[in-house]
Amino acid sequence: FFFLMIRRPPRSTQSRSSAASDVYKRQVHGYDVIYGESHPEFARLLTAFGSLFRLRCEHGNALQCLSKSREIQTQAIGENHPDYGWTLHEISRVFYDQNQFEEAQEYNSKACHIFSAAGLSTSHIHYKSAIELAALLSVKV
């Protein structure tokens, strides 16, 4: 027998990007309604989206989300909180991905200091990721 499979044509990159943008806008709006733009959970969402944008190589969008998250966290939880350190680490990864190693090292070093001062174990996923990036940067810088 001969089977004919009808397949949906693949979505274009533009349509996937548009769909991702719609999800981002809906989530940000939802968190804004629930928590407000100055709440630490809103900042945490922005950091997560910053990470996703970085993985999609949308570095401008990533830095925009991460910078906004950093502003909120500075006011809401302070610059010694591990969540603030994670945001700094994500910023350093954006710079690393763009071969801006000195900037990456600056932000990652601050993140490591925050994690250490907060008493996180070096096996904690965030601290461990920052230590691994520090090792990579020591070769690059």
Side-chain angles (χ1 to χ4, degrees), residues 109-127:
S109 176
K110 289 177 186 177
C112 285
H113 177 74
I114 291 168
F115 295 149
S116 175
L120 295 184
S121 163
T122 55
S123 63
H124 184 281
I125 189 167
H126 294 158
Y127 198 2

Side-chain angles (χ1 to χ4, degrees), residues 20-138:
S21 179
D22 290 344
V23 168
Y24 166 74
K25 288 174 185 173
R26 282 195 310 272
Q27 287 294 318
V28 167
H29 177 71
Y31 268 65
D32 183 26
V33 168
I34 294 169
Y35 297 108
E37 282 192 15
S38 60
H39 196 279
E41 284 299 322
F42 188 78
R44 189 175 283 170
L45 175 73
L46 291 174
T47 298
F49 273 110
S51 299
L52 291 172
F53 283 130
R54 180 187 65 79
L55 292 170
R56 293 174 52 93
C57 297
E58 295 179 27
H59 299 110
N61 288 336
L63 285 175
Q64 184 178 9
C65 287
L66 294 166
S67 295
K68 178 67 176 168
S69 175
R70 186 174 165 210
E71 289 174 23
I72 296 166
Q73 290 169 334
T74 298
Q75 298 298 316
I77 59 177
E79 295 181 0
N80 296 321
H81 194 281
D83 282 355
Y84 182 80
W86 182 246
T87 299
L88 294 180
H89 173 65
E90 285 296 322
I91 292 170
S92 73
R93 291 177 65 169
V94 172
F95 285 126
Y96 181 85
D97 290 350
Q98 295 177 324
N99 297 325
Q100 297 177 19
F101 303 122
E102 290 178 9
E103 291 87 348
Q105 187 174 36
E106 177 185 340
Y107 282 96
N108 196 60
S109 176
K110 289 177 186 177
C112 285
H113 177 74
I114 291 168
F115 295 149
S116 175
L120 295 184
S121 163
T122 55
S123 63
H124 184 281
I125 189 167
H126 294 158
Y127 198 2
K128 184 176 179 181
S129 180
I131 291 169
E132 290 169 355
L133 182 58
L136 290 172
L137 287 166
S138 69

